[in-house]
Amino acid sequence: MIKNTKRTDSIELSTIRKLFEVTNPNAINLGIGEPDFDVPENIREAMKKGMDDGFTHYTSNKGFDNLRKAIVLKLKEENNIESDIDDVIVTCGATEALFDCCQALFEKGDEVLIPNPGFLSYEAGIKLAEATPVGVETPMENGFKLMADDVQEKITNKTKGLIINSPSNPTGAVMEKEDIKAIADLATDYDFMIISDEIYEKIIYDNKKHYSPAAFGENVITLNGFSKTYAMTGLRLAYMVSPKYITEDLLKVHQYVTACTSSISQIGGLEALTGPQDSVNKMLKEFKRRRDLISDSLNDMGYECVKGEGAFYVFPKVNNPEIFVQKAMDAGVICVPGLAFGSVGQDFVRMSYANSYENIEKAMDILKNMD
């Protein structure tokens, strides 16, 4: 029998996907981070027209020009990021963009800082590049926010990169401007690359504002996409914008992983950026309503819960998360053990409120009456 590589031995299959694929389909799923909304009508119509017009062939590896021009304009106007169309690579989701970054930047002997708790793909992507992930703790008492002082304490002469994610999966935390700017300065001073995962950028509440580290420093690759803001998860569309000196290396990985992103998805992305934003505002209003419901309900049940300022997750503290998750699953509610996101999550579970208000109400009633 042929032996697999040590790289794949070093990682596990996604806990989130395991729960998604093997559990009761009739259960209320608070485990998956996928908006329950349909793709907005204007985006669907644009993609249908693209099909009718025969736009079903390969695009350039980086993505078609009109979409990348729209991305450059969006970054300048909304994120204060100066970029060029040649610095933009359109990818098959943010997951591919993350993989490309890890493969192009990191190797054995490198250390890469990641938030703890943080999205589980960060650790896996780093390990597949044979580098070493190093967690930066973001405890509940700090609102789960990544802070510059904590990052600085973890920097060594082996530090090659840092992945940040604001708003955060799994906690909903939104980083402060001061920390974003200070971390961008650290990347310059200590010469490491920030990979800034900004996929939840538009899903933000309570008059909080999103800040991009690339607005404050040059050692930044910005990742963003369409899955969360426009409910386009299955269309697998995202992008990364990098400093010029690393773009070609990122493109090498992208070329040999996917060649190019779906042409029809790219048409949808162009309409998403340039068309009306009413659907985004509507989804955001509904997400906030659901956040308030699930956060208040969990706190009323005695499960300490920070009311997240962004994304669509809560990270309540529970007794014995493994038993809690199993009991909840048996009762008909799916959630994810917090330990899947790092050691700081060992006393927590993650719940997504990217589900209907009515289903969340039912789920909270089930948990309230759970033995």
Side-chain angles (χ1 to χ4, degrees):
M1 185 173 68
I2 297 172
K3 183 77 169 66
N4 61 299
T5 66
K6 291 182 179 179
R7 290 190 299 276
T8 55
D9 269 343
S10 71
I11 63 172
E12 301 288 338
L13 288 172
S14 166
T15 304
I16 299 169
R17 284 290 166 182
K18 282 181 183 178
L19 290 169
F20 180 66
E21 292 173 1
V22 303
T23 50
N24 177 4
N26 297 317
I28 298 171
N29 194 341
L30 304 184
I32 196 77
E34 178 177 33
D36 62 318
F37 302 101
D38 291 329
V39 175
E41 184 178 0
N42 62 306
I43 298 173
R44 296 200 305 271
E45 291 301 319
M47 290 190 293
K48 290 176 187 176
K49 185 175 185 303
M51 290 287 289
D52 292 339
D53 291 344
F55 197 82
T56 55
H57 300 281
Y58 290 131
T59 71
S60 70
N61 290 132
K62 288 185 177 180
F64 79 91
D65 286 359
N66 286 347
L67 175 56
R68 289 188 290 135
K69 287 176 182 176
I71 291 168
V72 167
L73 182 61
K74 180 261 184 226
L75 291 170
K76 182 176 182 179
E77 292 183 346
E78 297 183 4
N79 303 85
N80 199 27
I81 297 174
E82 295 290 338
S83 60
D84 184 270
I85 184 173
D86 290 330
D87 303 328
V88 179
I89 300 175
V90 180
T91 62
C92 296
T95 301
E96 189 230 319
L98 174 67
F99 178 84
D100 295 347
C101 290
C102 291
Q103 290 296 312
L105 284 167
F106 310 135
E107 57 193 347
K108 188 176 293 186
D110 292 336
E111 293 181 351
V112 186
L113 309 183
I114 57 174
N116 177 13
F119 186 44
L120 45 82
S121 290
Y122 302 152
E123 180 176 345
I126 293 164
K127 286 183 174 180
L128 285 172
E130 299 189 321
T132 303
V134 177
V136 181
E137 294 187 356
T138 61
M140 181 183 242
E141 52 265 34
N142 291 343
F144 298 113
K145 297 183 182 186
L146 187 67
M147 297 185 173
D149 289 344
D150 296 328
V151 170
Q152 187 165 12
E153 286 182 6
K154 296 288 186 175
I155 296 171
T156 71
N157 59 3
K158 295 181 179 180
T159 302
K160 185 77 175 291
L162 162 70
I163 300 176
I164 68 174
N165 176 217
S166 178
S168 162
N169 176 6
T171 66
V174 175
M175 293 176 63
E176 303 297 335
K177 179 181 180 180
E178 294 75 15
D179 287 303
I180 293 281
K181 186 177 184 305
I183 287 171
D185 290 340
L186 289 174
T188 300
D189 294 342
Y190 291 93
D191 195 27
F192 62 82
M193 185 68 74
I194 297 172
I195 300 171
S196 180
D197 180 356
E198 304 182 19
I199 195 71
Y200 297 98
E201 165 198 34
K202 294 291 183 70
I203 304 173
I204 197 165
Y205 317 108
D206 305 329
N207 297 315
K208 292 292 290 186
K209 187 175 178 182
H210 171 77
Y211 295 94
S212 299
F216 304 109
E218 296 181 355
N219 286 6
V220 183
I221 301 173
T222 302
L223 275 51
N224 210 327
F226 301 84
S227 293
K228 313 301 183 180
T229 301
Y230 300 98
M232 293 170 63
T233 51
L235 295 170
R236 309 312 302 133
L237 184 68
Y239 57 88
M240 54 184 168
V241 186
S242 59
K244 291 184 184 300
Y245 65 86
I246 196 66
T247 303
E248 183 173 318
D249 294 290
L250 293 170
L251 183 60
K252 289 176 186 176
V253 183
H254 171 68
Q255 279 183 338
Y256 294 114
V257 170
T258 58
C260 69
T261 305
S262 158
S263 58
I264 297 301
S265 294
Q266 291 187 56
I267 286 178
L270 178 61
E271 175 62 24
L273 290 180
T274 59
Q277 302 297 303
D278 307 29
S279 59
V280 177
N281 297 328
K282 182 179 178 181
M283 284 189 278
L284 182 62
K285 183 177 180 180
E286 177 60 16
F287 278 139
K288 184 177 185 298
R289 192 168 79 104
R290 297 174 186 180
R291 179 205 64 167
D292 293 343
L293 168 65
I294 195 169
S295 299
D296 292 345
S297 297
L298 289 167
N299 277 314
D300 287 346
M301 283 184 253
Y303 301 121
E304 187 179 359
C305 180
V306 174
K307 187 173 283 189
E309 297 168 328
F312 36 66
Y313 306 102
V314 289
F315 208 61
K317 190 172 185 178
V318 302
N319 291 323
N320 202 325
E322 294 290 338
I323 292 176
F324 179 94
V325 168
Q326 187 61 56
K327 284 185 175 180
M329 191 184 305
D330 293 342
V333 178
I334 302 170
C335 51
V336 183
L339 190 58
F341 304 95
S343 59
V344 170
Q346 64 184 345
D347 296 322
F348 300 83
V349 297
R350 190 195 76 168
M351 299 181 189
S352 166
Y353 49 91
N355 205 319
S356 72
Y357 191 93
E358 292 73 22
N359 277 345
I360 294 169
E361 281 187 313
K362 292 176 185 176
M364 294 301 101
D365 284 341
I366 290 170
L367 295 181
K368 184 177 181 180
N369 295 303
M370 189 171 68
D371 290 334

